[in-house]
Amino acid sequence: MSNLPSSWINVKLGDVVNYADTLKAEPSKLLEGTWILELEDIEKKTSKLIKKALFPERQSKSTKNKFEKGDVLYGKLRPYLDKVIIATEPGYCTTEIIPIKSGRHLNNRFLFYCLKRKEFLDYVSEVSHGLSMPRLGTRQGQEAPLVLAPLNEQARIANKLDSLLGKVDAAQARLEKIPSLLKRFRQAVLVAATSGDLTKEWREEHITTQPQKIDFDELWGVEYKKQNRTFKPIKITTSDDSSIELPTFWRSTKLGQVCDVYVGATPSRKETAYWGGDINWVSSSEVSFCRIRSTKESITADGLKKTSTNIHPSGTVMLAMIGQGKTRGQAAILDIEACHNQNTAALRVLPDYLLPEYLYFFLWCQYEQTRKIGGGNNQQALNKSTVQGMPFSYPPFAEQKEIVRRVESLFTLADVVEKQYIETKKRIDHLTQSFLAKAFRGELVPQDPSDEPAAELLKRIQSERKQQASSKIRRNTTSTKIFSDKTNLINLEKKKTMKPNEFPENYLADLLTQLGGEIDAETLWKKSDLSIDDFYARLKQETQAGKIVDNNNSPDPALRKLKKIE
């Protein structure tokens, strides 16, 4: 970074904390009531704790990292998800989470926010290794860019960010209620429209005391009689299975009585001559409560002959027949001429008797009910006969027009609110990074000239870390028995001068025994006195000799589990 305050300095994460220096714990050592944290417990980007599971509720079977209250817990798997929290109490976490101790000279909340700023996220996203499940390596983590501010200023920055981002979170929480409210509003409009409630006052005004007789034989005329269609009353229900009582001048019938249902077939994909023509081709993925104005694929005239259907005109209502997700039961209106595959049904209406838009809104209203109709062992699906037999509430044509006009007007209002929601959400989402950027440029709170400069603070941090490392070495040197070949022990000082081929035959296997019999490859290497190349050469040798089981299916050494064979 440039243009930092004079009392700040640029550092690397490994300059101020012991990144990836963790304490391991086996499942057998965990106590009942212990907090067990997994990555899925942390919400991406927001750093909210979604779930807090305890042992043995969460039956952990893998090695865990131990953490203490106040540790910054950083998710190194898919680090672009920005999963970081501060531990509110001690516990254990997956090895995909790195507990970071901030120490006395680094504010843990300041460090937490450092790990969430854009510059840090961009860095870890770039250097992480692995395609489908990228991870931040230990060395890359230690070299991650950070800024260090005076200790007192760290606290002031953290306090200010807590306050500002708390307000951002509150605004986001209120904003996130809008999509569900809009969904409920649209559904309420559709229910009112297809039950007659939306046009109740309109009927009272436009239908006289001597209402015209609605004769469906006459309504459909010759076409209706030719097809021998009858309008037998059937039950119309809502998504909660409650029955709808239709207005006096409406009719309850079936879809097959008011429109023609067509199904198709897909031409062979191997026949390239069938594809890429000038006939629009509708697939089920394109039928998603919308108006279809173009299609991803097209077929030729020869391909059309293999579909067992025709080109359908603009105004045809499409219905998705298959799909395990949200696809099955969704509808769309063609604004173009097109044909379709067997995963969709085309519902063609007679002009002046049934408005495509009314049929579309009805299918939208009945979406959840339609999904219940689909059956099948593997992938639930509708078929032509089930679509023809679906209940349909049929109002007079003049009222259909009024219903469509009112629904479209109300949906337009909802669309305006939704657009405002999206724009507002974008602005609020940008606020977090905007505040973080300002904070780590030194612009969020004023500097205090009396604060100890960060350069001096860094010296104290490094001096303290050096003392801790020396103390650790002194404790370790009290034991000179490090590795053994059954009864022969090797002195540590002597071992440091040995060549790789001079180590005992079962060097790593014996080291595994001392470390509990099972550990990850990275930790075993750190505990050995071999270079990385010599370590993996020796590991391969002892694995082939049947002394160690190496689960080497992970590119990350920290995830390769090694086990001593007894």
Side-chain angles (χ1 to χ4, degrees):
M1 292 181 65
S2 59
N3 301 322
L4 287 177
S6 59
S7 58
W8 292 37
I9 56 172
N10 288 306
V11 295
K12 296 178 180 178
L13 182 60
D15 293 336
V16 293
V17 299
N18 295 324
Y19 179 81
D21 186 5
T22 59
L23 293 175
K24 305 292 182 182
E26 298 304 318
S28 59
K29 304 296 183 181
L30 302 180
L31 301 177
E32 186 171 347
T34 300
W35 180 15
I36 307 296
L37 179 69
E38 299 291 345
L39 269 174
E40 60 264 28
D41 299 339
I42 306 172
E43 187 174 68
K44 65 180 182 180
K45 298 188 183 300
T46 67
S47 290
K48 293 178 181 177
L49 187 64
I50 302 172
K51 179 180 180 180
K52 190 171 186 178
L54 306 179
F55 188 83
E57 171 193 348
R58 174 166 279 160
Q59 290 292 337
S60 178
K61 298 181 180 179
S62 60
T63 302
K64 299 296 179 187
N65 284 337
K66 183 179 180 181
F67 61 83
E68 301 295 338
K69 180 180 179 179
D71 286 356
V72 178
L73 307 179
Y74 176 72
K76 67 174 183 176
L77 177 65
R78 295 192 291 176
Y80 55 84
L81 294 178
D82 187 18
K83 293 192 172 188
V84 193
I85 64 169
I86 297 177
T88 55
E89 62 180 83
Y92 297 85
C93 59
T94 171
T95 53
E96 301 288 10
I97 295 175
I98 303 296
I100 306 175
K101 299 185 182 302
S102 58
R104 294 184 304 160
H105 306 302
L106 183 63
N107 185 288
N108 64 344
R109 290 179 298 138
F110 179 85
L111 176 60
F112 165 81
Y113 287 124
C114 276
L115 301 183
K116 293 184 69 64
R117 65 195 182 108
K118 185 178 184 300
E119 289 80 1
F120 185 86
L121 293 173
D122 289 344
Y123 167 82
V124 296
S125 297
E126 182 179 348
V127 302
S128 296
H129 58 271
L131 296 177
S132 59
M133 300 288 278
R135 292 178 176 83
L136 180 66
T138 298
R139 179 178 59 80
Q140 290 81 2
Q142 293 168 340
E143 294 179 355
L146 234 64
V147 293
L148 188 64
L151 185 58
N152 290 337
E153 190 171 350
Q154 291 178 29
R156 294 197 298 273
I157 290 171
N159 290 338
K160 188 67 174 179
L161 285 172
D162 285 348
S163 174
L164 291 173
L165 298 185
K167 295 176 181 177
V168 171
D169 289 343
Q172 286 177 327
R174 291 193 294 270
L175 201 61
E176 287 307 318
K177 296 177 181 179
I178 293 178
S180 60
L181 291 173
L182 287 174
K183 181 178 179 180
R184 287 160 53 191
F185 171 76
R186 289 189 176 105
Q187 186 62 26
V189 168
L190 292 173
V191 170
T194 57
S195 64
D197 288 345
L198 189 62
T199 45
K200 182 178 179 180
E201 292 81 5
W202 180 90
R203 281 194 307 275
E204 293 174 354
E205 181 181 346
H206 289 80
I207 295 185
T208 65
T209 55
Q210 297 294 327
Q212 63 184 41
K213 178 182 178 183
I214 301 177
D215 186 335
F216 283 90
D217 285 354
E218 181 180 340
L219 180 68
W220 284 94
V222 176
E223 286 299 317
Y224 167 66
K225 292 178 179 178
K226 276 184 180 179
Q227 297 173 37
N228 194 29
R229 305 192 192 207
T230 57
F231 290 87
K232 297 179 179 178
I234 61 173
K235 181 182 179 182
I236 307 290
T237 61
T238 63
S239 58
D240 62 0
D241 292 328
S242 59
S243 180
I244 296 177
E245 185 176 345
L246 297 177
T248 303
F249 306 110
W250 290 36
R251 292 294 182 269
S252 58
T253 183
K254 298 179 181 179
L255 273 181
Q257 299 300 320
V258 295
C259 61
D260 293 319
V261 180
Y262 296 84
V263 293
T266 302
S268 172
R269 295 283 179 180
K270 297 179 181 179
E271 297 290 341
T272 56
Y274 293 162
W275 297 94
D278 55 2
I279 303 174
N280 293 305
W281 176 259
V282 177
S283 64
S284 59
S285 63
E286 295 170 304
V287 180
S288 56
F289 295 126
C290 63
R291 302 193 77 102
I292 298 176
R293 297 181 172 89
S294 64
T295 57
K296 297 176 183 177
E297 293 183 295
S298 60
I299 62 170
T300 63
D302 288 337
L304 177 61
K305 295 176 183 178
K306 302 296 181 180
T307 64
S308 71
T309 189
N310 302 313
I311 299 176
H312 300 294
S314 174
T316 301
V317 177
M318 307 300 298
L319 179 66
M321 305 274 277
I322 194 169
Q324 291 182 336
K326 296 182 178 180
T327 303
R328 188 180 75 258
Q330 294 193 130
I333 299 179
L334 287 181
D335 280 347
I336 55 175
E337 291 185 342
C339 58
H340 60 108
N341 65 11
Q342 69 274 18
N343 293 337
T344 59
L347 312 181
R348 290 171 64 167
V349 303
L350 287 180
D352 301 326
Y353 299 121
L354 178 60
L355 277 177
E357 288 80 7
Y358 175 78
L359 174 58
Y360 168 68
F361 288 138
F362 179 86
L363 292 174
W364 190 344
C365 181
Q366 291 289 305
Y367 170 64
E368 294 296 339
Q369 290 294 93
T370 303
R371 290 183 60 77
K372 295 178 183 179
I373 298 173
N377 294 328
N378 296 323
Q379 191 173 19
Q380 290 186 325
L382 302 169
N383 56 46
K384 184 175 181 178
S385 63
T386 57
V387 173
Q388 289 174 323
M390 287 170 55
F392 182 70
S393 58
Y394 183 71
F397 190 69
E399 191 166 354
Q400 292 178 39
K401 291 181 179 180
E402 182 63 17
I403 289 171
V404 170
R405 187 190 68 80
R406 294 190 179 200
V407 171
E408 289 179 342
S409 177
L410 291 169
F411 274 22
T412 297
L413 293 176
D415 291 342
V416 170
V417 174
E418 187 169 42
K419 183 179 179 180
Q420 293 173 340
Y421 155 76
I422 293 172
E423 292 173 350
T424 304
K425 188 176 187 304
K426 285 181 180 178
R427 291 196 296 270
I428 291 181
D429 288 345
H430 290 156
L431 276 178
T432 295
Q433 282 302 329
S434 176
F435 286 140
L436 289 173
K438 200 170 182 179
F440 292 103
R441 289 196 303 264
E443 299 172 1
L444 195 62
V445 298
Q447 281 78 48
D448 186 341
S450 65
D451 286 343
E452 179 187 47
E456 296 300 318
L457 179 62
L458 179 61
K459 290 179 182 178
R460 291 200 288 122
I461 291 174
Q462 293 179 334
S463 174
E464 185 171 289
R465 292 177 65 199
K466 187 175 181 180
Q467 291 176 3
Q468 292 173 347
S470 298
S471 176
K472 186 175 181 180
I473 291 175
R474 285 195 299 271
R475 289 196 301 270
N476 289 341
T477 54
T478 58
S479 173
T480 58
K481 297 181 179 181
I482 307 298
F483 306 102
S484 67
D485 183 10
K486 300 204 181 220
T487 57
N488 295 323
L489 303 180
I490 301 176
N491 184 275
L492 177 62
E493 295 301 322
K494 180 180 178 182
K495 183 179 63 171
K496 289 181 178 178
T497 64
M498 295 172 62
K499 298 178 180 180
N501 59 2
E502 294 177 337
F503 283 90
E505 181 180 0
N506 300 327
Y507 174 72
L508 293 181
D510 290 334
L511 179 55
L512 263 175
T513 299
Q514 294 192 27
L515 296 174
E518 183 176 3
I519 204 169
D520 60 85
E522 185 177 30
T523 302
L524 184 63
W525 166 61
K526 288 181 177 179
K527 297 294 184 181
S528 75
D529 282 329
L530 293 168
S531 69
I532 188 67
D533 293 335
D534 291 337
F535 171 80
Y536 280 107
R538 173 53 69 100
L539 177 61
K540 180 178 179 180
Q541 176 184 329
E542 294 192 34
T543 300
Q544 291 176 343
K547 303 298 182 181
I548 296 175
V549 173
D550 178 13
N551 175 24
N552 63 357
N553 59 359
S554 172
D556 188 346
L559 301 177
R560 291 177 61 174
K561 293 297 181 182
L562 308 177
K563 186 175 182 180
K564 169 73 180 296
I565 298 179
E566 302 298 338

